[in-house]
Amino acid sequence: MANEVKSLSAYVRDVVESMGGGILGRTSNAGAPSYLYDTARLRWVGLNATLRWDGWHIFMDGSGNAQYNIRRLITYFPGSGSIAPDSPFSASPGADQDYLAFREPHPLDIQVAINRVLPNLHYPTEYAVVTATMNLRQFALPSWLTQKWQVTRVRRRYNDSPDTYQYRDPIWWDLLRSEGDLRLYMEPAVEASVVLVLDVYQPYSTLGTWTATSSAPSRYLTAAAKVPIFNALKNAAAGQARKHYEEREAEAMSDYRIIAPEYLPRVAVPIKVTPAPEGIEIV
């Protein structure tokens, strides 16, 4: 089953929900640049005081006005179910617009953590190399192929149509380093215009904008991202707060170790001859 495709802002929402202690809300009616309404989650009938809400952030992650605005919250009006940011939104939040309100970390720090762990998560796919000349025995690989376990099989593919594809395994192949980069070596030599198909584990790409998407499993990504998040919070704290974040970091690492085996590559690399067969020169 294919993984659900999610945007960076959706992943941030998943992380906040997993960490707990935040509000995943939706505006009940149109507000103004200086406040938003959520009478379902924020209204406290009979409490007409004006309360400070220091240290909280609000992230307008839902589509609509002021989308992707990040502000600090300063004032809470429980009687009307409204909150006010420290500076106006870029536009008046509309009705039925999703938002996140939480104390820590900053939404941009969650974004950094997500992009830090994404390249360490991999997914199985095929990578094709078209040979342009004859008698090739070694091939350059893309820069994201950095570990030998990322390639689990190599095949020659013949015919042009998916309906008539035919595959042949080489007698021998291996991945060896040349000037720091992995290269593919194989025997026999490959004819011109033959497609080499590599079964690989490719890393997920980082997400440069709030709307950029990925198919990384959210459960796996969220578990991985919480480890550097709590580590950063721990390093910025002192005393009892530091101890609290040390415990949260340890919990996050424990959760990750339980979840990760469900998604880690299941690598079964074919047995390859070592050293190379006679006649193949490894340079």
Side-chain angles (χ1 to χ4, degrees):
M1 180 183 298
N3 296 320
E4 180 183 2
V5 174
K6 289 195 169 187
S7 66
L8 175 57
S9 65
Y11 284 124
V12 169
R13 173 172 282 261
D14 290 346
V15 170
V16 171
E17 183 175 18
S18 178
M19 291 177 65
I23 297 174
L24 284 69
R26 176 171 293 179
T27 58
S28 55
N29 47 286
S34 57
Y35 59 87
L36 64 76
Y37 283 109
D38 181 0
T39 56
R41 297 295 301 274
L42 301 177
R43 191 177 184 188
W44 191 346
V45 177
L47 182 60
N48 296 317
T50 299
L51 306 177
R52 296 288 297 181
W53 210 348
D54 293 325
W56 281 62
H57 304 94
I58 186 165
F59 176 42
M60 304 298 296
D61 68 326
S63 60
N65 294 339
Q67 189 176 22
Y68 308 127
N69 278 198
I70 298 173
R71 299 289 189 272
R72 283 188 176 275
L73 295 182
I74 56 171
T75 311
Y76 170 37
F77 304 96
S80 61
S82 61
I83 48 179
D86 62 344
S87 60
F89 297 116
S90 61
S92 300
D96 297 320
Q97 185 169 352
D98 291 337
Y99 69 89
L100 300 177
F102 53 99
R103 190 174 186 85
E104 54 194 10
H106 193 282
L108 294 181
D109 292 334
I110 300 178
Q111 178 192 51
V112 169
I114 288 172
N115 280 320
R116 177 179 170 183
V117 301
L118 268 173
N120 296 321
L121 310 183
H122 297 75
Y123 62 96
T125 187
E126 290 184 347
Y127 177 77
V129 178
V130 180
T131 59
T133 57
M134 294 184 66
N135 300 322
L136 289 180
R137 287 183 168 88
Q138 58 176 288
F139 304 88
L141 297 173
S143 59
W144 50 263
L145 273 172
T146 60
Q147 304 295 325
K148 296 179 71 171
W149 60 260
Q150 288 180 255
V151 180
T152 60
R153 189 177 184 184
V154 177
R155 293 169 292 166
R156 291 176 168 88
R157 189 177 74 197
Y158 297 90
N159 298 334
D160 297 328
S161 171
D163 295 334
T164 59
Y165 281 162
Q166 293 184 350
Y167 295 89
R168 296 179 187 173
D169 291 303
I171 296 174
W172 171 89
W173 68 269
D174 204 349
L175 300 175
L176 301 170
R177 293 201 179 275
S178 175
E179 298 181 355
D181 297 325
L182 281 181
R183 294 182 67 87
L184 170 65
Y185 295 84
M186 63 187 302
E187 174 69 24
V190 180
E191 311 93 307
S193 301
V194 169
V195 177
L196 291 180
V197 178
L198 282 61
D199 292 350
V200 300
Y201 282 97
Q202 184 168 346
Y204 289 100
S205 300
T206 57
L207 302 175
T209 65
W210 292 117
T211 56
T213 59
S214 175
S215 60
S218 183
R219 182 167 176 262
Y220 187 22
L221 176 57
T222 296
K226 287 193 298 183
V227 177
I229 287 173
F230 284 123
N231 179 264
L233 291 171
K234 177 193 70 177
N235 291 336
Q240 286 299 112
R242 182 179 178 87
K243 180 175 177 58
H244 168 73
Y245 289 125
E246 285 179 348
E247 293 172 353
R248 294 297 305 272
E249 181 186 15
E251 291 172 1
M253 180 59 74
S254 177
D255 290 344
Y256 173 75
R257 287 172 175 166
I258 292 172
I259 293 172
E262 300 177 27
Y263 302 96
L264 288 174
R266 291 169 170 81
V267 180
V269 180
I271 296 175
K272 302 183 287 292
V273 179
T274 302
E278 184 178 353
I280 294 182
E281 181 180 3
I282 305 299
V283 296

